[in-house]
Amino acid sequence: MLNCPLCRVGLVALAAFSINPVHASVITDATNDFLPSFTVAPHNSDLDVVSAAGFYNTSAQQFTFSATLAGALGQTPGALYVWGLDRGQGTQRFLNGSPPIGAGIFFDSVLILRPNGTGVYNDFINSTTTNLAAGSVQLNGNTITGADLPLSLFPSTGFQPGDYTWNIWPRVGLGQNNQISDFAPDAANVPVTSVPEPETYAMLLSGLGLIGMLRARRKRVRPQPA
């Protein structure tokens, strides 16, 4: 039973978004669902997404992307957390790699967050790379967030900002498909959630962290046979 009123409100709000992960912007992902093709590092819990979210603050014209992992960040040297964004010209880019993976995942740019608190945005359509401003990447326990990122960083390639979609994957290093440990969700993009006020997605992000914590706790605590 949760005694924190904000936590309870956050979980109630999240429940409204989590009924169908393909049509929600706050999603949960199965634990220990590592890709069979992931061969470059141990299956550490900081490479296993358990919940993730993407929000567009319509009043401030800012995006926030957040993910909660099954374990504490920083376990795996070289770990990166990548949001693939489809702004209108997304393609299934991973199908052209070796091995081909990521069917159903479309993107035309990537947002990369690092556990050292830095990040970068790579726009494949406009051939630009932009380092995130100091303080944009926030770490909180098992959760990593790119917060209050301006719309100008993510220029449209056809979609309205509220129609952008995303998928997140942890990976160890860049360049090869076998460096990707997990997709969340597994084979689909998720639309961002448009919210009118910062307080709304702050409440939802609070609930996101709680869902990740509870899922990780259920993974660790197994009922013992009588």
Side-chain angles (χ1 to χ4, degrees):
M1 184 69 178
L2 295 173
N3 295 321
C4 165
L6 177 60
C7 297
R8 291 195 295 271
V9 172
L11 287 174
V12 169
L14 276 171
F17 287 105
S18 301
I19 296 171
N20 185 341
V22 176
H23 299 289
S25 281
V26 180
I27 61 104
T28 59
D29 190 60
T31 56
N32 203 34
D33 61 334
F34 290 91
L35 298 176
S37 55
F38 177 62
T39 59
V40 301
H43 290 185
N44 294 332
S45 57
D46 65 339
L47 299 173
D48 186 11
V49 178
V50 294
S51 55
F55 302 108
Y56 178 56
N57 179 351
T58 57
S59 59
Q61 295 189 316
Q62 294 174 332
F63 289 90
T64 291
F65 297 96
S66 187
T68 298
L69 288 303
L73 300 168
Q75 300 175 53
T76 307
L80 304 169
Y81 302 94
V82 184
W83 277 260
L85 305 181
D86 184 0
R87 301 162 297 151
Q89 295 187 34
T91 59
Q92 299 175 96
R93 292 171 178 263
F94 289 128
L95 292 181
N96 297 322
S98 179
I101 60 174
I105 297 170
F106 293 78
F107 60 103
D108 58 24
S109 59
V110 292
L111 174 69
I112 303 173
L113 306 185
R114 307 183 186 99
N116 66 1
T118 64
V120 64
Y121 179 65
N122 291 337
D123 185 334
F124 303 139
I125 304 302
N126 296 300
S127 300
T128 59
T129 299
T130 306
N131 291 322
L132 301 187
S136 297
V137 180
Q138 301 173 3
L139 309 176
N140 182 13
N142 298 3
T143 300
I144 187 166
T145 302
D148 302 331
L149 305 175
L151 173 61
S152 59
L153 185 64
F154 311 99
S156 172
T157 59
F159 291 164
Q160 293 296 314
D163 295 326
Y164 289 6
T165 66
W166 58 271
N167 189 287
I168 178 181
W169 52 88
R171 61 182 302 150
V172 181
L174 294 170
Q176 304 297 325
N177 284 355
N178 65 353
Q179 298 168 315
I180 297 171
S181 61
D182 186 18
F183 287 117
D186 291 334
N189 280 41
V190 185
V192 298
T193 292
S194 294
V195 292
E197 300 172 351
E199 292 80 4
T200 305
Y201 68 71
M203 176 185 68
L204 291 169
L205 285 173
S206 174
L208 170 74
L210 281 167
I211 280 187
M213 178 185 69
L214 292 172
R215 287 174 66 87
R217 180 179 297 169
R218 284 199 297 267
K219 179 183 177 182
R220 291 193 302 267
V221 179
R222 305 288 187 183
Q224 298 299 314

